[in-house]
Amino acid sequence: MIKPAGPQSDRAIVNKVLWRVMPLIGLLYFVSFVDRIAVSYAGPHGMTADLEMTATAFGLASGIFFVGYILLEVPSNIALERFGARMWLARIIITWGIVQALMAFVPSTGWLIAARFLLGVAEAGFAPGVLVYLMYWIPKSRRVWAFSLFLLVPYVTNAIGGPLMTWLAVVSQDLIPGMAGWRTMILITGIAAILAGIAAWVLLVDNPSKARWLDDREKSTLLVAIAAEEDNPTGDNSGVLAAIKNARVLLLSLAFFSLPFGVFSLTFFLPTIVEGFENKLGTDLSTPAKAVLTSIPWICAVVGALVLASLADRTGRPGAVTLLSGTVGAVGALGAALVDNPYALIATLSIAAFGLSAIAPTVFALVPRVVAAGVAAAAATAMVNSIGSIGGFAGPYLTGFITDVTGTQDVTYYAMAALLLLAGTIAIRIDNATRRTHTNSVEAMSVERTQTVKENS
């Protein structure tokens, strides 16, 4: 007779899943993020000069991606539930790879803006789709950690992608005769995405029941653990319309807004900011030195994501950790607005990045507490990501506009600080409220079971 698996074996199975699933989806997100940020490295390596772009136009081209992305987030996640994660995620990746590759041939700023919009349309649903995919595989008690492993990929990409993209922009200068280096760099990143999409089609598995690398006992244990830990929100929260109209879902969307606002303001303008250090310092900086300076805040973000996600998992309080990380990030953002020395600016932006790092996994961990699992959770997750991603447009565009008008990014840093504090306040309130509801529900179920036992005895 097979004895039921206990908590330790549950943990071992989840770790097995993480080791098997995370490397592939992490690689896919890495390719995705490289494609998103390629223009930030193309800009100072010839693109802005060749296309005669102002800072405002550059900010618009950077942020317009999120307009297309936002429009199709919810429909895309519903389609993922309909067609399966393997097929739908592979379709997304291959489509955006094609658009990215074609972007290498844009003749003007207008065409670049249009291509960036289409890139967002093509990529819509990928990140929230993966979060829903992880809900199929990971019990609630380990989701903040799993989400964090996935969502720290952008910080890793910025940390190692900075030197990589800088190097690629330089070596691409003479790679294809007659083609500017920045165009060749964008073409290469597009081809990489197409190859990654083909790999996703071959290697992804829709859910644990179809995983050949789990035996029957492991599948059963994992599926039972996931089902046992699901919350049962009160009210009508099982349908798509109810989920996207849910007031708490909308509040979580507002909380998430702070992350793309801050991250993409830094992502798209940090290379340009570092380029400007030469004038402030009165000396030339080597390409490796610029790459290192650009990477430092994102290395801090990786550390923050790991430390704060682990704290959220141990305490079971994602809302409290959101408040903590938002406060730390706000301190860093305010510091960035007040300092003038380039090295002090990198230090304060590193503190801001550390705080930003935990916003996404902790906010998304709260979504299943306010809507039912299944298509409602898919729609709500996409809704949070969709509305929140407006910050991905607002941040770069506002930063570019303010830079043109004032010559600094200080207003952006003040806005970042205010949004991070707001995110923490929203998350802790929803965390506290849902914990009370969950506790009351458990107590009611316990009373009901006790009465049933007495009646049957």
Side-chain angles (χ1 to χ4, degrees):
M1 179 178 177
I2 298 176
K3 295 181 180 179
Q8 288 303 317
S9 59
D10 291 357
R11 191 173 186 86
I13 295 168
V14 172
N15 288 339
K16 181 177 181 178
V17 168
L18 289 173
W19 277 107
R20 186 67 180 242
V21 170
M22 294 306 299
L24 177 58
I25 64 173
L27 174 63
L28 297 178
Y29 202 19
F30 177 85
V31 173
S32 160
F33 212 77
V34 162
D35 284 3
R36 289 190 197 184
I37 68 173
V39 293
S40 67
Y41 294 94
H45 287 91
M47 185 184 74
T48 54
D50 290 351
L51 301 182
E52 298 179 348
M53 300 179 72
T54 64
T56 301
F58 179 74
L60 178 60
S62 301
I64 198 72
F65 166 91
F66 291 96
V67 177
Y69 188 77
I70 289 161
L71 291 175
L72 294 179
E73 283 277 80
V74 174
S76 182
N77 255 31
I78 294 172
L80 181 142
E81 282 280 324
R82 168 69 176 82
F83 296 109
R86 171 174 165 266
M87 188 192 84
W88 196 250
L89 291 175
R91 193 284 305 162
I92 290 173
I93 299 162
I94 292 171
T95 303
W96 97 53
I98 293 170
V99 174
Q100 177 79 357
L102 292 175
M103 193 189 304
F105 304 97
V106 295
S108 65
T109 298
W111 278 100
L112 176 66
I113 292 170
R116 289 283 297 174
F117 172 81
L118 291 176
L119 184 67
V121 170
E123 194 179 320
F126 174 73
V130 171
L131 294 177
V132 172
Y133 179 67
L134 289 174
M135 292 180 192
Y136 302 157
W137 290 86
I138 308 296
K140 188 184 70 174
S141 58
R142 300 292 303 282
R143 279 181 194 160
V144 175
W145 180 247
F147 287 177
S148 182
L149 290 177
F150 173 65
L151 293 167
L152 67 76
V153 170
Y155 311 124
V156 174
T157 307
N158 276 320
I160 67 175
L164 174 64
M165 298 296 280
T166 300
W167 171 81
L168 187 58
V170 172
V171 301
S172 296
Q173 296 293 339
D174 302 313
L175 200 58
I176 300 178
M179 185 176 240
W182 66 267
R183 294 183 183 274
T184 304
M185 178 187 70
I186 290 176
L187 178 62
I188 291 171
T189 59
I191 293 171
I194 295 171
L195 296 176
I198 295 171
W201 174 260
V202 173
L203 299 174
L204 278 180
V205 180
D206 281 326
N207 55 61
S209 65
K210 296 181 180 180
R212 295 181 180 179
W213 40 272
L214 291 175
D215 61 35
D216 289 342
R217 175 174 174 169
E218 289 171 329
K219 292 177 185 178
S220 176
T221 301
L222 186 61
L223 291 170
V224 168
I226 292 170
E229 290 191 5
E230 288 299 336
D231 290 297
N232 294 296
T234 58
D236 180 15
N237 291 296
S238 59
V240 172
L241 186 59
I244 62 179
K245 289 170 59 179
N246 187 297
R248 286 176 175 171
V249 171
L250 297 177
L251 285 171
L252 288 173
S253 302
L254 178 58
F256 180 64
F257 181 96
S258 64
L259 178 76
F261 183 95
V263 166
F264 288 105
S265 295
L266 296 180
T267 296
F268 289 117
F269 281 90
L270 190 56
T272 303
I273 291 171
V274 170
E275 285 283 340
F277 284 178
E278 290 185 333
N279 291 333
K280 287 190 174 184
L281 294 172
T283 183
D284 291 335
L285 292 174
S286 66
T287 297
K290 293 175 186 176
V292 169
L293 287 172
T294 304
S295 298
I296 289 173
W298 305 118
I299 294 171
C300 292
V302 171
V303 174
L306 295 173
V307 170
L308 295 172
S310 178
L311 178 63
D313 252 359
R314 289 200 309 271
T315 61
R317 298 297 308 274
V321 175
T322 308
L323 179 60
L324 172 63
S325 63
T327 303
V328 172
V331 169
L334 289 173
L338 298 174
V339 301
D340 187 52
N341 180 275
Y343 297 117
L345 179 60
I346 291 296
T348 53
L349 290 179
S350 297
I351 295 171
F354 183 96
L356 281 164
S357 66
I359 299 295
T362 52
V363 167
F364 281 115
L366 291 169
V367 172
R369 293 192 184 185
V370 298
V371 296
V375 68
T381 302
M383 186 63 142
V384 170
N385 196 71
S386 179
I387 295 177
S389 292
I390 295 172
F393 170 77
Y397 183 72
L398 178 63
T399 303
F401 177 76
I402 290 170
T403 301
D404 275 339
V405 173
T406 68
T408 72
Q409 294 82 32
D410 292 350
V411 174
T412 303
Y413 299 144
Y414 287 125
M416 192 189 306
L419 289 168
L420 284 167
L421 292 174
L422 178 62
T425 302
I426 291 172
I428 189 65
R429 289 181 67 87
I430 291 179
D431 191 348
N432 289 338
T434 54
R435 281 171 63 84
R436 286 194 296 270
T437 302
H438 180 69
T439 300
N440 293 338
S441 175
V442 170
E443 290 176 352
M445 291 174 62
S446 177
V447 170
E448 182 179 347
R449 288 173 182 170
T450 301
Q451 291 175 343
T452 301
V453 169
K454 288 180 178 178
E455 290 172 359
N456 293 334
S457 59

